[in-house]
Each structure stands twice: as C-alpha cells, then as structure tokens.
C-alpha cells in the first residue's frame, strides 16, 4: 500500500554541480525556471511504495494564481499511452482479446486498408499507419475525437509494411482506445475509471471530457520564458487514447506502486509489456507495449514522456529497485525527462 513519508530532508549530494553553482537547495536550483509566478512543475519520488520526496513549483493557473501542488491535475499527454496499453492487457488477461489479433477484427472499417495490422503492431508503433495529425484538413480547426481518427485512417493507405519498422505515432493509440470501447462495451473513460483508477484509489485521475470539471486542473502554456501564453488545447486534445488522461503526481505514485506489485496485470504480462520488444530511432532506447525501455547502471529503466499543447511530462520506473520518478509540468518547454534521470540517479540507492 502506498505511503507518504512527510518532511524527508533533501538528500546530501543531490546534483552537486548545480548545488555548487547555485547555493541553497539543489532541487530548488534544478527547478528554478519553474518557480514563482509562472507555469510550474510537480515532482514526486517513489521508493518501495512510499513517496519519499515531493515538491511543486510555480502556478497551475496564471489567471487565478492557483499554485501547483501534489494534487494538481496535469494533462499527461503521451504518458497516457501506458494506461491505454494496460487497458488492452487487462482485456487480454480476461480472454476478451489477444494482442496478436488483427485490429480489423474490432475495427472492421480498416479491413481493406490494414488487414494485416495487429494490436501488437499498434502497441509497439510498428503498424505502418500514417500519423493522423498529418491528415487533418487545414481548413477545419475543430477538435477531433478518436472515432474521427478512425474515419481518417479508413481512407488512407499504409505508409509502411506492418511489423517492419518502428515509427512512433499517435494513431495506434487512438485506435486502441476504440478497441477497448468495442470489446468492453463501455467508454474508454469508463473502462479506465472502473479497471485502473478506482482499484488503485487514483481518486483525482480521469480521462478528458469537455463537459466534466477537472478538479485542481493545471492549464497549459507555451512560448518563450518572457512571453508565455495560454496553450491548453489544440485540435487533437479531445483524442483520448494517445494523450487524454489527467492525473497528479500523488495519483501517479499509486500507479508506480501498482507496477511494483503487479496489482493490475499478471507478472508475466507486465514483464512482456516492459520488455525491449522493438528497436526505436534511438539506439539506447527500445519500445515495449506502451513503454520505452532503456538501461541505467546495468538495470532496466521503464519510462514514458509526454508532450502536447502546453504540457511536458516524464514518468520513470526502475522495477528492480521499486523506484519511480514523476515530473509533470504545465508548459511545453523544458526537458522533464532529463531532470527525471538526474533525480533517478541521486535516489538510486
């Protein structure tokens, strides 16, 4: 069960180079660009089921001056993908589908265009399907939803032969959300609520719905440091499977705790999801089922990043050490993944 360890002192030696250059708290120095009256950041470190360090900087909302905090809900962007992949794996555990199934079994609209594309291809970004955002009509700025992605894809040819090459895109995960809906007979949002958020007591987490109020919502911003402006929504913000989850560092700490204990998935299935299944465009990084996989100090590091209009995030997990780092920010600029890896290194032991 997740616990919170309050008031833990900042460990000795964190980011000593930064500390030497910037006297004072080294973590504050690392996140100085997020502090004050500007879009902020929330961070949490989880070890063996406990939040051992958490801190927030800056503002969740520039207009209301609401400060960022551990319960602030940020748009996760592509950190949503592990949740979508887990939803598919839960259905596979129940025997409702197999990840080797052709996607056209559940989305017959793709029977002509993508007859050999499987759910595994979608999960590993090897489907050969084009990126849906490149297909959006330039003369129509209206937001689209997941079913619109399917309609766009039903008119397109495959860009690559399925299974031959990794090419990261959001298309597959929008389609996977539709598969979840058609197999489970409930909405993607409802499936995540009943099968992930409620069992893990992620009480503030939810899938974006323009008709639903998001508690403690961070608004997104973008621009230069001196000219940050509202950038909370774009044309694809209502597409859910690839980036529609909102959550907080406190809730995501529960998610990491569940990964540590294989709470939602059988250990064998979780191990496959976090295995280095396909090579990516970066030699040191592989991709599993909804997760990026790398190595640090000879041990497996499982992570995902997320960037969208007004948000940039990172979630990192080291299974062998039951160690996780979460950084959520409500600005498009910055490098949360680099900051997360620095913090990971310092909390390694």
């Amino acid at each position: 069960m997740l616990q919170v360890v309050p008031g833990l002192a900042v460990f000795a030696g964190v980011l000593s180079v930064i500390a030497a250059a910037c006297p004072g708290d080294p973590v504050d120095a690392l996140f100085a660009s997020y502090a004050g009256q500007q879009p902020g950041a929330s961070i949490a470190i989880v070890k063996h089921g406990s939040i051992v360090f958490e801190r927030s900087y800056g503002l969740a909302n520039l207009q209301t001056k609401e400060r960022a905090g551990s319960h602030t809900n940020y748009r996760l962007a592509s950190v949503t993908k592990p949740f979508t992949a887990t939803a598919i794996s839960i259905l596979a555990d129940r025997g409702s589908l197999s990840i080797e199934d052709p996607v056209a079994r559940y989305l017959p609209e793709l029977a002509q265009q993508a007859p050999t594309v499987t759910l595994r291809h979608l999960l590993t970004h090897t489907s050969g399907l084009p990126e849906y955002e490149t297909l959006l009509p330039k003369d129509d700025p209206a937001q689209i939803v997941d079913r619109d992605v399917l309609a766009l894809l039903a008119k397109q040819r495959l860009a690559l032969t399925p299974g031959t090459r990794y090419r990261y895109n959001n298309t597959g995960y929008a389609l996977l959300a539709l598969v979840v809906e058609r197999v489970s007979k409930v909405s993607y949002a409802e499936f995540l609520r009943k099968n992930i958020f409620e069992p893990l007591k992620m009480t503030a987490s939810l899938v974006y719905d323009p008709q639903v109020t998001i508690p403690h919502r961070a608004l997104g911003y973008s621009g230069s440091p001196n000219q940050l402006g509202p950038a909370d929504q774009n044309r694809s913000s209502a597409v859910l499977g690839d980036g529609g989850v909102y959550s907080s560092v406190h809730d995501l700490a529960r998610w990491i705790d569940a990964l540590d204990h294989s709470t939602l998935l059988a250990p064998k299935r979780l191990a496959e999801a976090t295995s280095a299944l396909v090579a990516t465009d970066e030699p040191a990084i592989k991709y599993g089922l909804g997760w990026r996989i790398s190595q640090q100090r000879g041990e497996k590091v499982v992570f995902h990043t997320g960037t969208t209009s007004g948000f940039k995030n990172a979630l990192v997990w080291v299974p062998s050490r039951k160690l996780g780092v979460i950084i959520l920010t409500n600005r498009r600029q910055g490098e949360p993944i680099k900051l997360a890896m620095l913090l990971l290194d310092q909390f390694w032991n």
Side-chain angles (χ1 to χ4, degrees):
M1 182 66 66
L2 181 73
Q3 299 176 342
V4 178
V5 179
L8 188 71
V10 178
F11 50 87
V14 176
L15 306 172
S16 57
V17 173
I18 295 175
C22 305
D25 187 297
V27 177
D28 286 349
L30 185 64
F31 286 86
S33 63
Y34 295 94
Q37 302 298 302
Q38 58 185 325
S42 295
I43 63 176
I45 312 294
V46 185
K47 293 189 76 172
H48 296 282
S50 296
I51 298 176
V52 298
F53 182 88
E54 61 181 5
R55 191 167 292 178
S56 293
Y57 301 88
L59 301 178
N61 186 314
L62 297 187
Q63 183 176 6
T64 65
K65 305 300 182 185
E66 179 181 352
R67 299 202 63 78
S70 62
H71 294 279
T72 298
N73 268 334
Y74 296 80
R75 185 180 185 87
L76 296 189
S78 286
V79 179
T80 295
K81 289 183 171 68
F83 289 98
T84 302
T86 297
I88 292 291
S89 292
I90 288 171
L91 291 169
D93 264 348
R94 295 174 181 172
S96 300
L97 55 74
S98 166
I99 65 170
E100 310 302 339
D101 289 341
V103 65
R105 179 173 299 177
Y106 309 104
L107 306 178
E109 296 91 332
L110 298 177
Q112 296 299 316
Q113 287 76 11
T116 63
V117 173
T118 67
L119 300 182
R120 179 182 289 273
H121 291 143
L122 299 183
L123 289 161
T124 57
H125 300 283
T126 57
S127 68
L129 292 166
E131 171 60 73
Y132 75 82
E133 290 178 307
T134 67
L135 305 176
L136 296 177
K138 294 181 172 54
D139 58 350
D140 184 0
Q143 280 191 333
I144 64 167
V145 295
D146 301 75
R147 64 179 177 272
D148 296 321
V149 174
L150 177 59
L152 286 170
L153 266 293
K155 303 174 184 177
Q156 301 295 320
R157 294 179 179 272
L158 289 173
L160 296 167
T161 301
T164 59
R165 180 185 166 190
Y166 168 93
R167 189 167 75 173
Y168 185 90
N169 70 25
N170 295 297
T171 298
Y173 279 77
L175 297 179
L176 287 167
L178 294 175
V179 171
V180 169
E181 293 186 343
R182 293 193 181 181
V183 172
S184 69
K185 310 302 182 186
V186 299
S187 70
Y188 171 79
E190 182 71 358
F191 187 89
L192 263 59
R193 183 179 69 82
K194 288 186 173 180
N195 294 277
I196 298 179
F197 301 149
E198 286 185 353
L200 300 186
K201 295 182 171 56
M202 296 173 66
T203 56
S205 299
L206 72 166
V207 175
Y208 174 74
D209 181 336
Q211 306 304 317
V212 174
T213 299
I214 299 171
H216 307 294
R217 178 180 179 175
L219 295 182
Y221 300 89
S222 187
S224 65
N226 296 323
Q227 292 183 321
L228 285 165
D232 189 71
Q233 297 283 298
N234 62 17
R235 295 176 71 183
S236 60
S237 291
V239 178
L240 305 178
D242 62 340
V245 170
Y246 275 77
S247 192
S248 66
V249 295
H250 194 271
D251 269 13
L252 290 175
R254 296 186 181 277
W255 170 240
I256 289 176
D257 185 54
L259 295 172
D260 282 337
H261 295 94
S262 297
T263 303
L264 295 176
L265 298 175
K268 183 177 180 180
R269 195 170 292 278
L270 179 60
E272 180 188 24
T274 58
S275 293
L277 300 178
V278 299
T280 73
D281 300 329
E282 302 175 69
I285 298 175
K286 303 297 190 292
Y287 206 88
L289 305 180
W291 291 102
R292 291 188 173 104
I293 317 297
S294 65
Q295 293 277 323
Q296 188 154 321
R297 301 190 185 188
E299 297 185 37
K300 180 169 71 173
V301 175
V302 179
F303 70 101
H304 218 291
T305 56
T307 302
T308 190
S309 180
F311 298 90
K312 200 163 190 179
N313 311 306
L315 184 147
V316 183
W317 174 50
V318 184
S320 62
R321 296 193 168 259
K322 290 184 167 54
L323 169 63
V325 179
I326 307 154
I327 301 179
L328 305 179
T329 81
N330 60 327
R331 65 174 69 170
R332 189 177 173 86
Q333 290 68 35
E335 294 295 340
I337 187 59
K338 293 182 179 178
L339 299 178
M341 291 301 183
L342 286 171
L343 291 176
L344 181 71
D345 188 63
Q346 295 303 317
F347 277 99
W348 192 265
N349 295 314

